[in-house]
Amino acid sequence: MFKQLFNMKSYEEELKTFSWNIAKEELGYKDGDNLNIGWHCTDRICNSGKSEKLALIWEDHKGEEKRYTFDDMRVLTNTIASYLQKLGVNPGERVCLFMDKVPELYFGFLGILKMGAIAQPLFSAFGSESLLTRLENAGTTAIFTQKKHLPKVRNIVAKLPSLKYILVVDDDGVKPLREGEYSFKMEQEEKVYDFEVYPSKAETPSVLHYTSGTTGQPKGAQHVHYSIISQYITAKYVLDLKDDDIYWCTADPGWVTGTSYGIIGAWSNGVTQCVMDAGFTAENWYKFIEKHKISMWYSAPTAIRALMKEGKDIVKKFDLSSLRHLCSIGEPLNAEAVIWSEEVFGLPFLDTYWQTETGSMMVSNYPGMKVKPGSMGKPFPGIEVTVVDLQTHLPLEKRGIVGMIAAKPGWPAMFRAYWNNEATYKKKFENGWYLCGDRASIDEEGYFWFVGRDDDVINTAGHLVGPFEIESALLEHPAVAESAVVGKPDPMNMEVVKAFVALKPGFEPTKMQELEIMNFIRKKLSPLAMPQEIEFVDKLPKTRSGKIMRRVLRAKEWGEEIGDISTLENDM
Ligand code: 6R9
């Protein structure tokens, strides 16, 4: 039988011979050279003879399609870079991308990098408050947005003295723009064929991705241009991207997967990728794969579960024979999903594990390696990953014991800071290890098995939501006296947000009240952060020092042992 040849040698072989130098050589980069992600994903690919190759096939919910070659992308990213420069944006300043998955988002990202500024992508479903927190923290100078999201920016602009330029990519001139707002139509601007790319070095800041933690507001994980070394080679080895692939990464660039692998990994490999700027239905997704003959598909467990729910029959209506390799990211991939995909697509989804902070894949299943359904796989060659004791944070010598996932710093894509938050950054390192904050065990064969998070962060449909951000927003509601937010189990999204709320005197715990509070959070923060359920309580369980014990509430939701509650102040 025809045996597929993968980019990666066998895992064991690769462990012996792998070095990051392989990636550097392939990218033509030597230590000390200039290094710019924007240039590498566009100009370099054109220089290698692929100017006329398709870089992006884009489709929206109306079925409108746009296609761009690598040369189109090179010129449009130049145009954006030059526009920002002329506007007065300086290298090192933060430029936010606050848009749906339109071409301007993808090219804007690379254009920002080409002129030396830092790209700050934010999920377009965020409400004003979520936006404000992140723009304030980053001291953002400019923001790209669409007409439909402009009101959310206008709501907060007065509170953001550093935000000087609001660039609207689809202004139709119907309503006048205000001071500080500019109409920027990517395709109508005078094209810039040659642009002097900013001479960034390996350690020049590139991307700022906000991610949620247990305490405090979201933190900006700051990356550098050197990350491309990891992203290029993991996309090549794990996603197995090849020259004739048509690749589809379903993630939104508001989250790290959408930039590390939805932009940098794919295009630094010179691969054609498809983007669908439309909501999910199984029918649409299968149709998209069939139409564009997608061969490599990188998706997420929630989407896979949603497809499973639609059943096997619908799959038969489509010709999906172009698919040759599938990977998954963002949350635990259940064994059933792996088995199901083997049955219906003839291919297992290969799980990958990594984080906003790690910038690239840490633990994965590799093409050609035995898949153990339910396991996240093994560490990427060149990265030392282990589990450490939950208390001492020292590596666990014995296999099969649950500890915290930890990695030896030094892989190229690792984040370099939390923006303006050195104290929290430092806390992530101990005994020479970066602590991932997830629990797992390693079996006798070296496979990693995910157990759960080691903190209170909620992973809903693959998106991390911080309880503190939601609790803070809840407190701004006139009826709320106190609240605690936890994740509760959900068959589709793995977890959804649940809020426990103590009302102020004079407010009634009615269904109307519940809906009103839910809506308040949806608008203020985002649909992801909106509690799916609010339980009204008289008071919340607290420690004697007055800290709300989310652990107790969470354990009840999951039917787990509550554990030591000796420091509890009140009984529930
Ligand atoms: C890339 C991304 C990171 C957190 C991570 C963990 C969870 C990611 C997973 C997984 C189980 C996997 N996570 N991959 N859990 N199995 N294969 O998702 O980044 O948004 O920062 O989330 O997601 O808890 O720590 P980010």
Side-chain angles (χ1 to χ4, degrees):
M1 215 186 93
F2 168 73
K3 190 168 180 304
Q4 199 170 1
L5 283 179
F6 300 114
N7 287 332
M8 193 172 167
K9 293 176 236 155
S10 77
Y11 182 69
E12 285 68 28
E13 195 59 23
E14 211 63 65
L15 275 185
K16 284 185 232 147
T17 56
F18 182 82
S19 138
W20 298 111
N21 287 332
I22 296 171
K24 293 188 203 175
E25 271 164 34
E26 289 186 9
L27 290 170
Y29 167 78
K30 284 194 287 308
D31 288 339
D33 286 355
N34 290 347
L35 182 62
N36 188 290
I37 291 173
W39 182 84
H40 265 277
C41 291
T42 58
D43 299 65
R44 196 187 118 259
I45 304 299
C46 291
N47 296 347
S48 73
K50 293 191 195 170
S51 315
E52 296 314 313
K53 181 176 175 175
L54 277 180
L56 174 64
I57 302 172
W58 174 91
E59 204 177 295
D60 72 1
H61 63 281
K62 301 190 288 289
E64 193 196 340
E65 199 183 288
K66 291 183 184 171
R67 289 170 177 246
Y68 302 87
T69 63
F70 274 95
D71 195 57
D72 294 335
M73 183 158 84
R74 182 186 71 80
V75 173
L76 290 169
T77 53
N78 280 350
T79 307
I80 293 170
S82 157
Y83 178 87
L84 288 171
Q85 221 172 41
K86 289 198 184 123
L87 200 62
V89 174
N90 296 307
E93 290 184 330
R94 278 71 59 209
V95 180
C96 175
L97 296 150
F98 186 55
M99 290 180 274
D100 297 351
K101 293 197 258 180
V102 290
E104 287 84 348
L105 170 57
Y106 294 80
F107 300 167
F109 180 86
L110 296 174
I112 293 166
L113 299 181
K114 274 188 160 178
M115 55 76 62
I118 302 176
Q120 183 193 7
L122 291 176
F123 186 42
S124 64
F126 276 154
S128 293
E129 191 85 11
S130 291
L131 193 60
L132 175 65
T133 322
R134 291 157 177 85
L135 296 180
E136 212 168 30
N137 181 267
T140 309
T141 304
I143 184 168
F144 282 97
T145 194
Q146 293 165 281
K147 244 182 0 225
K148 65 192 228 204
H149 300 301
L150 184 59
K152 297 191 276 189
V153 181
R154 283 182 173 170
N155 272 344
I156 55 171
V157 65
K159 295 184 189 159
L160 294 164
S162 54
L163 187 62
K164 288 193 272 199
Y165 313 108
I166 298 167
L167 312 170
V168 187
V169 299
D170 58 352
D171 179 50
D172 52 14
V174 173
K175 286 191 194 144
L177 291 179
R178 300 180 184 171
E179 204 195 322
E181 296 174 354
Y182 303 79
S183 169
F184 172 75
K185 296 231 182 88
M186 181 175 81
E187 309 207 29
Q188 288 168 24
E189 286 292 315
E190 198 179 319
K191 293 204 165 41
V192 176
Y193 292 95
D194 294 297
F195 178 78
E196 199 173 321
V197 173
Y198 182 73
S200 44
K201 297 283 181 192
E203 290 303 307
T204 305
S206 55
V207 183
L208 193 57
H209 263 298
Y210 277 77
T211 180
S212 298
T214 304
T215 54
Q217 293 293 354
K219 304 162 300 228
Q222 185 237 297
H223 293 275
V224 293
H225 282 266
Y226 195 52
S227 72
I228 193 173
I229 306 295
S230 297
Q231 290 149 346
Y232 163 79
I233 200 76
T234 47
K236 181 167 174 181
Y237 282 11
V238 186
L239 303 179
D240 197 43
L241 291 178
K242 298 203 177 87
D243 200 27
D244 54 358
D245 267 318
I246 305 285
Y247 168 60
W248 185 27
C249 170
T250 60
D252 188 303
W255 314 107
V256 72
T257 306
T259 60
S260 287
Y261 295 99
I263 299 182
I264 308 171
W267 285 332
S268 62
N269 274 280
V271 164
T272 303
Q273 65 166 330
C274 297
V275 167
M276 182 164 96
D277 183 17
F280 172 88
T281 68
E283 177 116 18
N284 280 351
W285 276 37
Y286 292 141
K287 211 187 270 170
F288 194 69
I289 295 171
E290 179 183 68
K291 180 172 171 198
H292 299 295
K293 300 198 167 40
I294 286 159
S295 54
M296 200 288 137
W297 184 18
Y298 195 22
S299 201
T302 295
I304 302 165
R305 284 192 290 271
L307 293 174
M308 286 169 76
K309 198 170 144 225
E310 298 299 321
K312 293 176 192 161
D313 286 347
I314 179 173
V315 184
K316 296 192 192 111
K317 287 185 11 203
F318 300 89
D319 175 6
L320 307 180
S321 57
S322 54
L323 289 174
R324 69 163 188 92
H325 185 40
L326 321 176
C327 290
S328 164
I329 173 60
E331 359 152 30
L333 180 66
N334 344 35
E336 304 84 73
V338 179
I339 295 160
W340 181 83
S341 88
E342 254 192 307
E343 219 182 299
V344 298
F345 305 126
L347 298 161
F349 265 97
L350 300 192
D351 196 12
T352 66
Y353 165 87
W354 56 289
Q355 307 178 306
T356 302
E357 287 86 343
T358 69
S360 65
M361 296 164 183
M362 303 302 282
V363 173
S364 301
N365 288 277
Y366 304 95
M369 187 177 90
K370 180 177 85 176
V371 177
K372 291 190 182 181
S375 156
M376 304 196 295
K378 298 186 180 189
F380 187 77
I383 310 182
E384 201 182 331
V385 191
T386 190
V387 293
V388 296
D389 183 88
L390 294 171
Q391 261 75 45
T392 64
H393 293 158
L394 288 166
L396 289 166
E397 301 299 335
K398 258 183 82 187
R399 292 284 163 100
I401 298 177
V402 175
M404 195 198 288
I405 305 176
K408 259 277 143 67
W411 68 98
M414 183 172 133
F415 74 135
R416 299 296 196 268
Y418 283 130
W419 195 261
N420 275 336
N421 196 344
E422 206 188 334
T424 310
Y425 177 72
K426 281 195 171 144
K427 275 194 219 144
K428 298 290 277 193
F429 299 87
E430 223 178 298
N431 306 324
W433 294 94
Y434 162 69
L435 304 174
C436 295
D438 287 307
R439 294 181 183 196
S441 67
I442 309 175
D443 71 15
E444 290 299 333
E445 288 179 287
Y447 282 77
F448 280 60
W449 297 81
F450 187 82
V451 173
R453 288 196 58 100
D454 194 54
D455 57 19
D456 292 336
V457 172
I458 302 158
N459 188 336
T460 179
H463 300 122
L464 303 188
V465 183
F468 178 79
E469 199 181 8
I470 306 173
E471 288 162 5
S472 306
L474 279 168
L475 282 183
E476 289 176 38
H477 189 279
V480 176
E482 276 194 313
S483 74
V485 166
V486 299
K488 81 169 212 173
D490 181 80
M492 191 55 72
N493 300 299
M494 194 175 87
E495 282 187 282
V496 290
V497 174
K498 172 166 180 180
F500 291 85
V501 166
L503 291 170
K504 283 184 185 157
F507 290 93
E508 293 300 317
T510 59
K511 192 75 200 163
M512 275 297 281
Q513 187 63 265
E514 181 184 5
L515 293 176
E516 217 269 315
I517 298 175
M518 284 175 175
N519 208 23
F520 177 79
I521 298 298
R522 184 179 61 78
K523 279 214 188 120
K524 220 175 175 48
L525 297 180
S526 72
L528 290 172
M530 182 184 86
Q532 301 291 317
E533 183 189 335
I534 295 179
E535 186 173 328
F536 294 111
V537 292
D538 290 336
K539 53 182 178 176
L540 294 163
K542 286 192 193 141
T543 62
R544 291 207 182 93
S545 61
K547 269 195 189 158
I548 292 171
M549 291 193 78
R550 292 195 197 98
R551 186 164 59 87
V552 174
L553 297 166
R554 190 179 186 284
K556 268 177 65 175
E557 293 304 314
W558 292 76
E560 291 166 358
E561 285 288 316
I562 290 181
D564 178 18
I565 49 167
S566 56
T567 56
L568 215 57
E569 175 214 55
N570 54 8
D571 293 317
M572 275 292 282

